Amino acid sequence: MEFKNNTVIVTGGASGLGEATVRRIVAAGGNALIVDIQQDRADALIAELGDAVQFAKTNVMDSDQCQAAVDKAIAMQGLLAGVVNCAGTGVPAKVLGRDGVHSAEQFMKVININLLGSFNMLRLGAEAMSKQETNDKNERGVIINTASVAAFDGQIGQAAYSASKGAIVGMTLPIARELARFGIRVMTIAPGLFETPLLAALPEEAKESLGAQVPFPPRLGKPDEFAQLAEQIFENTMLNGETIRLDGAIRMAPK
């Protein structure tokens, strides 16, 4: 699949990894639908990038809102080439912390946003793409979910986050196998330490310290490097049913 002349849904597309993906889609001649709750940031991107970008204010946990977003994407230019799920959250908390036992409600909030939110857009986007004509490679679309290295080497205090990201990794292959008959590929990217809004709030010294933990290159990942991999996944038809670590060979310590 190509970005050019087609439309891609990007959840969490108003900032961070999602914003970088939106920018790369537009740079390649494609159209992006930002699915996010950040109206102001989305409006700023649309003002900068033009008519190739539209916005659907969406809570990814709400199935009706997700369906409305998919419908809006279908009405945009070209094929609905795919969905890139970048929306997510993380709340650090120990199972047995100083303030007491881990809140079940807090755990479920992370699961619902990261896992259910990704699955909502995946299932509804896949349904829409399954009804399209194929391209010249017999493809109908690509779905990319975002996990994390925490899915494999989660740190103390990341029980909810690691569980949600591990589940995303776990559903990649079975869904790729199921959707293969429709010509829809499913992949997952597991980023390491990246320059996201969460890390941007840290002091420069702290960011340099984190970056130095990465074997090579010894720095934080850049959001456009995530977007570059997303574009390469779209273009390479043999990439399917796999999770790619994008982490500079880092393996996280327990804490």
Side-chain angles (χ1 to χ4, degrees):
M1 295 300 294
E2 292 184 348
F3 290 157
K4 188 175 182 180
N5 297 326
N6 290 321
T7 294
V8 179
I9 295 171
V10 184
T11 74
S15 63
L17 304 178
E19 177 185 341
T21 303
V22 168
R23 290 181 180 279
R24 185 164 276 267
I25 291 166
V26 173
N31 302 272
L33 178 69
I34 297 173
V35 171
D36 209 310
I37 58 173
Q38 301 182 84
Q39 179 86 51
D40 292 346
R41 291 189 64 90
D43 287 345
L45 267 178
I46 291 169
E48 177 187 349
L49 299 176
D51 294 340
V53 181
Q54 294 188 31
F55 175 58
K57 189 171 184 178
T58 305
N59 177 346
V60 291
M61 295 181 291
D62 187 308
S63 295
D64 290 339
Q65 291 184 26
C66 289
Q67 183 63 65
V70 171
D71 292 342
K72 186 169 185 175
I74 292 171
M76 293 172 68
Q77 182 185 19
L79 293 172
L80 175 55
V83 175
V84 181
N85 279 314
C86 295
T89 189
V91 181
K94 293 182 178 180
V95 176
L96 301 177
R98 292 178 180 177
D99 298 325
V101 68
H102 197 308
S103 162
E105 292 76 16
Q106 189 180 57
F107 188 93
M108 284 307 303
K109 179 181 179 180
V110 175
I111 295 293
N112 283 335
I113 294 174
N114 292 356
L115 179 58
L116 177 60
S118 295
F119 184 70
N120 255 344
M121 292 308 306
L122 180 154
R123 68 187 182 87
L124 296 173
E127 180 188 32
M129 289 185 285
S130 72
K131 299 173 182 178
Q132 298 181 142
E133 296 297 321
T134 60
N135 66 6
D136 58 1
K137 296 179 181 177
N138 293 320
E139 293 183 284
R140 287 191 171 91
V142 178
I143 296 167
I144 299 175
N145 292 320
T146 302
S148 165
V149 294
F152 308 101
D153 30 86
Q155 297 183 294
I156 292 171
Q158 288 187 327
Y161 185 72
S162 293
S164 68
K165 297 302 187 179
I168 287 173
V169 171
M171 72 181 183
T172 302
L173 181 58
I175 297 177
R177 286 171 162 171
E178 177 187 347
L179 298 184
R181 68 189 180 98
F182 297 106
I184 299 171
R185 295 186 285 116
V186 181
M187 289 286 292
T188 294
I189 300 174
L193 299 175
F194 268 68
E195 293 176 354
T196 61
L198 181 65
L199 289 184
L202 295 176
E204 194 62 35
E205 183 179 350
K207 289 191 286 187
E208 289 178 3
S209 175
L210 286 171
Q213 297 176 30
V214 182
F216 189 83
R219 58 168 173 80
L220 299 178
K222 301 180 186 302
D224 186 60
E225 291 170 326
F226 173 95
Q228 180 184 9
L229 178 56
E231 184 174 22
Q232 290 165 341
I233 289 171
F234 267 73
E235 292 177 347
N236 191 328
T237 311
M238 281 301 291
L239 287 173
N240 194 17
E242 185 57 89
T243 297
I244 300 175
R245 289 184 66 135
L246 186 65
D247 61 11
I250 196 170
R251 297 297 180 268
M252 303 300 292
K255 59 182 178 179

